[in-house]
C-alpha cells in the first residue's frame, strides 16, 4: 500500500512539474516578465532563470515519472518550492497583485495568493516524503 | 546514497537544463535576450496593469509583444499603425487604425476624438523605423497619458501572430 501511494505521489509530482515547465519553455519572454514582476532579482538573473528554470522543472518531472535519480530530482523540487514560497510570500507581504508565473502565463494566469502558496507547500511536503522514502528504503536495504 | 552521488545528480540535472535552455531559447522566436537591463524605457507589467491605470505618464513607455497582447485582451486600447496606407493595407496588427506619420495633418480630427486616458499603442515595422516612437512622443505632448510604443513592431509581431489584411 505504501509503495502504491509513493508511486502515485511520484507520478503526480512529476506530471505537475512537466506541465508547469512546458508552458514556460514555449514562451520564455512571458515567463521572464512574470519573474520580473516579483521585483526581487536583477534583470540579468531574471533572464537566466526564465531560460533555465522551466527546463529544470521538466527534467525533474520526467525523472520522477520514470523513477530515475529520485534523490537528486526530489531534492531539486524541495529547493525550488522553498524559493517559490519565499518569493510568493514576499510578493504578498508587499501587496503586489501579480500573476504567480506558476503554470499559465497568459491573461488568465493565476495571481499570487494564499491558495497558490498552499499548493507550493503541498508540493514541498510531497517532495520531502519522496526523498525520505528513498533514504529509508536504502537504510532498510 | 552518498552525498556525492546526490550532488552529482543535482549538478547533472542543472547542467542539462542549462544546455537545453540556452539551445531552445536561441531557436525560439519568443526567446529572452540575456541582458543586464530591460531595453530603455521598457515597461514592466506592473506599470501597465497595476499602477498604470491610475498613473499619468509624461512620455511613452516601451512595450513588448506579450504586453501588447495583454493590453489587447484587456480591451480599451487604440493601436496606431504609423506606416503608409499601402503598407497598412498589405498587413497590420489586428484592430489597428492607420495614421501615417507623414500625413498627421489629415488625422487631427481622429486624434482629437480619442479619449486622453485611453491606452494608445503606436508601432511601425520595427527597427530602424522610428515613426511610431515620434508619434508616441507627440501624443504624449498633446496630453495623452497612456501612450505605449511597441518598438519591435510588425516585423516582430508577425513571427508568431496573425496579421489582418
Amino acid at each position: 500500500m505504501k509503495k502504491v501511494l509513493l508511486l502515485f505521489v511520484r507520478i503526480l509530482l512529476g506530471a505537475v512539474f512537466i506541465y508547469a515547465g512546458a508552458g514556460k519553455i514555449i514562451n520564455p519572454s512571458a515567463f521572464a516578465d512574470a519573474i520580473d514582476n516579483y521585483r526581487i532579482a536583477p534583470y540579468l538573473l531574471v533572464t537566466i532563470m526564465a531560460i533555465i528554470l522551466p527546463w529544470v522543472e521538466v527534467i525533474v518531472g520526467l525523472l520522477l515519472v520514470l523513477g530515475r535519480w529520485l534523490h537528486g530530482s526530489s531534492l531539486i523540487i524541495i529547493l525550488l518550492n522553498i524559493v517559490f514560497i519565499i518569493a510568493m510570500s514576499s510578493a504578498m507581504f508587499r501587496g503586489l497583485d501579480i500573476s504567480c508565473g506558476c503554470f499559465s502565463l497568459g491573461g488568465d494566469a493565476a495571481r499570487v495568493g494564499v491558495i497558490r502558496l498552499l499548493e507550493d507547500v503541498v508540493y514541498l511536503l510531497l517532495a520531502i516524503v519522496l526523498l525520505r522514502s528513498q533514504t529509508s528504503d536504502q537504510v532498510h536495504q | 546514497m552518498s552525498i556525492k552521488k546526490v550532488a552529482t545528480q543535482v549538478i547533472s540535472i542543472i547542467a542539462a537544463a542549462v544546455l537545453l535552455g540556452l539551445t531552445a531559447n536561441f531557436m525560439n522566436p519568443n526567446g529572452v535576450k540575456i541582458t543586464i537591463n530591460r531595453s530603455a524605457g521598457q515597461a514592466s507589467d506592473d506599470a501597465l496593469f497595476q499602477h498604470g491605470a491610475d498613473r499619468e505618464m509624461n512620455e511613452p513607455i516601451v512595450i513588448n509583444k506579450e504586453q501588447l497582447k495583454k493590453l489587447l485582451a484587456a480591451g480599451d486600447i487604440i493601436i496606431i499603425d504609423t506606416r503608409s496606407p499601402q503598407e497598412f493595407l498589405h498587413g497590420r496588427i489586428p484592430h489597428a487604425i492607420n495614421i501615417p506619420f507623414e500625413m498627421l495633418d489629415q488625422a487631427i480630427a481622429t486624434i482629437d476624438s480619442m479619449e486622453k486616458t485611453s491606452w494608445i499603442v503606436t508601432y511601425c515595422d520595427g527597427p530602424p523605423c522610428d515613426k511610431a516612437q515620434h508619434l508616441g512622443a507627440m501624443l504624449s505632448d498633446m496630453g495623452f497619458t497612456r501612450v505605449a510604443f511597441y518598438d519591435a513592431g510588425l516585423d516582430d509581431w508577425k513571427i508568431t501572430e496573425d496579421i489582418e489584411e
Side-chain angles (χ1 to χ4, degrees):
Chain A
M1 184 63 186
K2 188 185 164 192
K3 278 192 174 176
V4 175
L5 268 177
L6 284 174
L7 177 68
F8 176 74
V9 167
R10 184 158 66 74
I11 304 239
L12 173 77
L13 208 51
V16 165
F17 271 76
I18 291 170
Y19 175 66
K24 298 166 193 162
I25 284 171
I26 296 165
N27 201 341
S29 65
F31 183 46
D33 284 342
I35 302 173
D36 196 37
N37 286 342
Y38 280 90
R39 288 184 264 169
I40 51 177
Y43 197 66
L44 179 64
L45 188 58
V46 166
T47 56
I48 292 170
M49 282 196 292
I51 291 168
I52 295 168
L53 199 56
W55 284 96
V56 173
E57 290 180 331
V58 168
I59 292 170
V60 294
L62 283 171
L63 288 171
L64 284 189
V65 170
L66 297 172
R68 311 287 297 176
W69 286 11
L70 294 179
H71 283 93
S73 44
S74 306
L75 185 61
I76 287 179
I77 289 182
I78 290 169
L79 296 174
L80 284 180
N81 275 292
I82 289 172
V83 171
F84 295 160
I85 289 166
I86 291 171
M88 221 182 291
S89 306
S90 150
M92 287 167 66
F93 181 73
R94 286 175 289 148
L96 296 179
D97 177 23
I98 55 176
S99 73
C100 77
C102 309
F103 296 100
S104 167
L105 298 169
D108 58 339
R111 317 296 288 177
V112 160
V114 175
I115 295 189
R116 286 291 169 194
L117 194 63
L118 288 177
E119 256 181 36
D120 281 349
V121 171
V122 170
Y123 299 145
L124 172 65
L125 294 175
L126 291 178
I128 291 172
V129 168
L130 268 184
L131 185 63
R132 283 179 63 94
S133 72
Q134 293 302 309
T135 311
S136 63
D137 279 355
Q138 285 197 338
V139 169
H140 292 312
Q141 284 166 12
Chain B
M1 181 176 272
S2 70
I3 292 176
K4 192 177 170 187
K5 278 189 178 172
V6 177
T8 306
Q9 288 182 1
V10 170
I11 291 167
S12 302
I13 290 168
I14 292 171
V18 169
L19 196 64
L20 287 167
L22 290 174
T23 308
N25 186 62
F26 178 71
M27 296 167 71
N28 188 341
N30 283 325
V32 182
K33 190 177 173 189
I34 299 176
T35 173
I36 293 174
N37 295 310
R38 282 174 174 270
S39 56
Q42 172 76 52
S44 71
D45 280 5
D46 284 354
L48 288 177
F49 301 106
Q50 193 176 5
H51 307 300
D54 303 318
R55 193 177 69 172
E56 299 211 336
M57 298 177 296
N58 297 323
E59 57 185 26
I61 54 173
V62 180
I63 60 170
N64 60 28
K65 178 161 52 184
E66 290 309 315
Q67 291 170 326
L68 174 55
K69 282 162 66 180
K70 286 176 187 171
L71 280 175
L72 273 168
D76 189 26
I77 167 178
I78 299 164
I79 306 177
I80 301 178
D81 185 321
T82 59
R83 301 171 306 147
S84 70
Q86 292 78 11
E87 290 171 308
F88 178 77
L89 287 174
H90 192 64
R92 56 196 172 270
I93 292 175
H95 312 299
I97 61 170
N98 187 210
I99 300 183
F101 188 66
E102 296 81 0
M103 298 160 69
L104 270 182
D105 299 351
Q106 298 167 36
I108 293 299
T110 309
I111 292 172
D112 280 344
S113 68
M114 295 175 189
E115 279 285 330
K116 287 279 196 276
T117 54
S118 293
W119 270 107
I120 299 175
V121 178
T122 61
Y123 76 90
C124 49
D125 281 326
C129 171
D130 56 4
K131 295 175 192 172
Q133 189 174 9
H134 291 314
L135 179 61
M138 287 177 66
L139 290 172
S140 284
D141 290 343
M142 290 167 74
F144 289 90
T145 54
R146 287 174 198 143
V147 182
F149 157 50
Y150 175 33
D151 64 342
L154 192 68
D155 290 344
D156 174 58
W157 179 267
K158 63 189 180 189
I159 293 172
T160 56
E161 306 300 321
D162 291 334
I163 56 171
E164 199 173 71
E165 292 180 47

